[in-house]
């Protein structure tokens, strides 16, 4: 008898095929995040033949957007420090000043480097061609869930921003939204590179299984001559893919490092001030609305930093696993040509292995924790001092 699939199974298979066909490439995977960045004026690009190309019209739009932001941020600083000086507390003024100053630095730096980000994304697209549509489908699912969970709280905060009717509220919300969107663009590219390194590592492990199972037969000279060119060709292809992917990692770091540093600093500042409001200032029952939004943004930024660091650390671990896989293969082979190629590959991994150990968010997790504690402690001492002085 034939095994007939149920209607539900056929429908689920059809759904998976349509999802895989839509998110079956890097361009379709990154398009939602890149489109939001373009809409906000952060990424002036257009699509031509499934390739990101610099657009002069969107560049003009980005210039207008940064000018409007600079004007509104300057007016917001004036409003907070002069117009509403007696209506706001010292901590609130300090909080808004920090956010606006960091926002200016982030968006100006991003405006300067936005054009160089487009070729970096094209390089990521080129190296990601080794991935299958099924892998892209899984990566796209996780990226869409992550981005939606981060953006929903910020979107839900729009009515509160409109209700306040102050220009600095609009600018602070726009800064927070822009920081999350820019960080998402960076982490999504890192996640795609992580999938590329995982593919290389899995291919090496499959090669190890082949060598372990077939090595005894290499004693026959005919089989030896037929088998080795295939393994050497695969090994050289993987070495080339690893070299290209590692170079893209360095390009991405050099392009985004300064923005990531400023974004992490802004997140820690916002976490510190919101926790201060939660623990000290907003203890009264009548201020539960402000209390809830302060807690929401604190949790949002903490989770955002944790997930971003975990994605970077996962990618670093995948890069480290490639070196371990090469040594495991080296133990199980006795062929001189394969051994030489493995040694060269291993030297390349050692040379490119520290690609993620650099500035900004792509640093050691221990150093990131020390930086977080230092910034938070300094800000808490400063806030406490100013609060006591104002009382």
């Amino acid at each position: 008898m034939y095994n007939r699939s149920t209607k539900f199974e056929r429908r689920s298979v059809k759904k998976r095929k349509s999802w895989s066909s839509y998110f079956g490439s890097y361009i379709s995977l990154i398009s939602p995040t890149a489109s939001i960045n373009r809409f906000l004026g952060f990424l002036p690009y257009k699509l031509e033949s499934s390739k990101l190309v610099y657009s002069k019209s969107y560049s003009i739009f980005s210039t207008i957007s940064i000018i409007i932001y600079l004007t509104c941020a300057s007016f917001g600083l004036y409003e907070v420090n002069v117009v509403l000086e007696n209506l706001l507390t010292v901590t609130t003024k300090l909080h808004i000043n920090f956010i606006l100053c960091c926002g200016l630095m982030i968006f100006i730096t991003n405006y300067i480097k936005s054009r160089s980000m487009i070729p970096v994304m094209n390089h990521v697209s080129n190296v990601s061609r080794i991935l299958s549509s099924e892998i892209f489908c899984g990566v796209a699912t996780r990226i869409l869930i992550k981005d939606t969970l981060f953006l929903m709280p910020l979107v839900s905060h729009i009515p509160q921003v409109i209700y306040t009717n102050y220009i600095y509220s609009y600018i602070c919300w726009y800064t927070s939204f822009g920081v999350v969107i820019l960080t998402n663009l960076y982490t999504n590219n890192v996640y795609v590179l992580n999938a590329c390194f995982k593919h290389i590592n899995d291919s090496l492990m499959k090669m190890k299984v082949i060598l372990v199972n077939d090595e005894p037969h290499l004693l026959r000279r005919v089989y030896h001559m037929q088998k080795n060119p295939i393994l050497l060709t695969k090994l050289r292809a993987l070495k080339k893919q690893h070299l290209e992917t590692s170079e893209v990692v360095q390009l991405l770091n050099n392009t985004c490092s300064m923005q990531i540093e400023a974004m992490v600093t802004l997140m820690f500042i916002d976490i510190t001030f919101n926790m201060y409001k939660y623990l000290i200032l907003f203890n009264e029952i009548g201020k539960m609305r402000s209390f809830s939004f302060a807690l929401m943004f604190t949790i949002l930024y903490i989770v955002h930093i944790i997930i971003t660091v975990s994605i970077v650390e996962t990618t670093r671990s995948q890069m480290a696993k490639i070196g371990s896989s090469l040594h495991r293969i080296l133990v199980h082979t006795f062929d001189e040509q394969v051994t030489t190629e493995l040694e060269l590959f291993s030297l390349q991994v050692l040379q490119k292995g520290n690609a993620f150990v650099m500035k900004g968010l792509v640093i050691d997790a221990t150093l990131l924790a020390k930086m977080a504690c230092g910034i938070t402690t300094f800000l808490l001492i400063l806030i406490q001092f100013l609060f006591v002085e104002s009382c």
Side-chain angles (χ1 to χ4, degrees):
M1 292 182 65
Y2 294 103
N3 292 327
R4 296 183 179 178
S5 59
T6 62
K7 186 186 238 184
F8 175 77
E9 288 173 345
R10 289 197 300 269
R11 191 178 298 170
S12 62
V13 169
K14 186 176 180 181
K15 186 177 180 181
R16 283 198 303 269
K17 284 183 178 178
S18 62
W19 185 263
S20 178
S21 61
Y22 185 77
F23 290 104
S25 64
Y26 170 81
I27 297 298
S28 59
L29 183 148
I30 207 71
S31 286
T33 311
S35 298
I36 298 174
N37 276 273
R38 182 174 61 182
F39 177 75
L40 295 175
F42 300 149
L43 195 65
Y45 78 94
K46 62 181 179 180
L47 281 175
E48 286 185 2
S49 302
S50 299
K51 187 178 180 182
L52 300 175
V53 180
Y54 176 76
S55 172
K56 290 184 179 179
S57 57
Y58 283 112
S59 178
I60 294 171
F61 174 72
S62 298
T63 305
I64 295 171
S65 299
I66 193 68
I67 291 172
I68 293 173
Y69 181 82
L70 290 173
T71 305
C72 293
S74 302
F75 187 77
L77 288 170
Y78 172 77
E79 189 178 35
V80 168
N81 295 297
V82 179
V83 178
L84 302 174
E85 184 179 5
N86 298 324
L87 299 177
L88 300 174
T89 62
V90 176
T91 51
T92 303
K93 288 193 290 185
L94 194 62
H95 187 188
I96 295 170
N97 276 290
F98 270 126
I99 289 178
L100 294 181
C101 291
C102 287
L104 286 169
M105 185 171 120
I106 291 168
F107 296 143
I108 290 173
T109 306
N110 179 77
Y111 175 76
I112 295 170
K113 293 197 172 184
S114 60
R115 186 166 184 173
S116 60
M117 185 64 185
I118 297 172
V120 172
M121 294 175 68
N122 283 323
H123 284 302
V124 178
S125 178
N126 291 333
V127 299
S128 65
R129 288 174 183 172
I130 61 175
L131 304 177
S132 63
S133 58
E134 289 77 13
I135 295 176
F136 271 116
C137 181
V139 172
T141 303
R142 290 185 284 272
I143 284 176
L144 286 175
I145 293 172
K146 173 183 70 69
D147 292 350
T148 304
L149 290 176
F150 284 142
L151 295 179
M152 285 303 294
L154 291 167
V155 173
S156 66
H157 190 58
I158 293 176
Q160 171 74 5
V161 174
I162 296 173
Y163 178 78
T164 56
N165 199 24
Y166 290 117
I167 190 169
Y168 66 81
S169 299
Y170 294 101
I171 298 302
C172 289
W173 177 86
Y174 181 85
T175 303
S176 301
F177 191 79
V179 165
V180 171
I181 285 297
L182 285 171
T183 311
N184 282 345
L185 182 65
Y186 171 79
T187 52
N188 292 350
N189 280 286
V190 174
Y191 202 77
V192 173
L193 292 173
N194 173 63
C196 295
F197 285 118
K198 188 176 184 303
H199 172 80
I200 295 171
N201 195 36
D202 292 342
S203 300
L204 287 172
M205 294 307 295
K206 290 178 183 177
M207 188 176 294
K208 176 201 163 187
V209 173
I210 293 172
L211 282 170
V212 170
N213 294 332
D214 294 346
E215 190 70 36
H217 300 285
L218 294 180
L219 294 173
R220 289 180 295 177
R221 184 172 179 80
V222 176
Y223 189 87
H224 174 85
M225 296 299 293
Q226 291 176 349
K227 188 71 178 177
N228 276 356
I230 300 173
L231 292 175
L232 286 171
T233 302
K234 290 181 180 179
L235 196 57
R236 285 165 184 164
L238 290 174
K239 186 173 73 170
K240 183 180 178 182
Q241 291 167 5
H242 176 269
L243 179 62
E244 292 174 351
T245 310
S246 299
E247 289 176 350
V248 173
V249 168
Q250 291 180 335
L251 286 173
L252 184 64
N253 290 339
N254 293 332
T255 304
C256 300
S257 60
M258 193 174 294
Q259 297 99 298
I260 295 298
E261 287 173 356
M263 283 183 241
V264 172
T265 303
L266 188 145
M267 288 181 185
F268 282 130
I269 289 170
D270 214 30
I271 289 169
T272 304
F273 278 101
N274 285 323
M275 285 301 294
Y276 183 76
K277 292 175 186 178
Y278 170 68
L279 296 172
I280 297 177
L281 295 180
F282 295 137
N283 294 326
E284 303 170 13
I285 299 175
K287 294 184 178 180
M288 285 299 292
R289 187 177 182 84
S290 299
F291 158 85
S292 62
F293 274 111
L295 183 61
M296 181 191 74
F297 275 95
T298 301
I299 295 171
L300 175 69
Y301 281 137
I302 289 174
V303 174
H304 198 281
I305 291 173
I306 290 172
I307 290 178
T308 304
V309 172
S310 66
I311 289 173
V312 173
E313 287 298 317
T314 303
T315 308
R316 287 182 61 191
S317 67
Q318 283 294 336
M319 296 175 73
K321 284 180 183 177
I322 292 174
S324 302
S325 299
L326 287 171
H327 286 93
R328 291 193 187 100
I329 297 173
L330 195 59
V331 170
H332 289 94
T333 186
F334 302 99
D335 183 79
E336 292 183 1
Q337 287 182 316
V338 176
T339 302
T340 304
E341 201 65 39
L342 287 169
E343 288 174 351
L344 292 173
F345 198 167
S346 181
L347 288 173
Q348 178 179 295
V349 171
L350 288 174
Q351 183 183 6
K352 300 291 183 179
N354 293 328
F356 266 126
V357 184
M358 54 170 297
K359 302 168 277 187
L361 232 171
V362 284
I363 56 178
D364 219 334
T366 307
L367 185 57
L368 181 64
K370 290 179 181 178
M371 186 177 74
C373 293
I375 293 174
T376 305
T377 305
F378 170 75
L379 289 172
L380 283 174
I381 294 172
L382 181 61
I383 293 169
Q384 190 68 33
F385 173 77
L386 292 173
F387 185 72
V388 172
E389 287 293 322
S390 62
C391 294

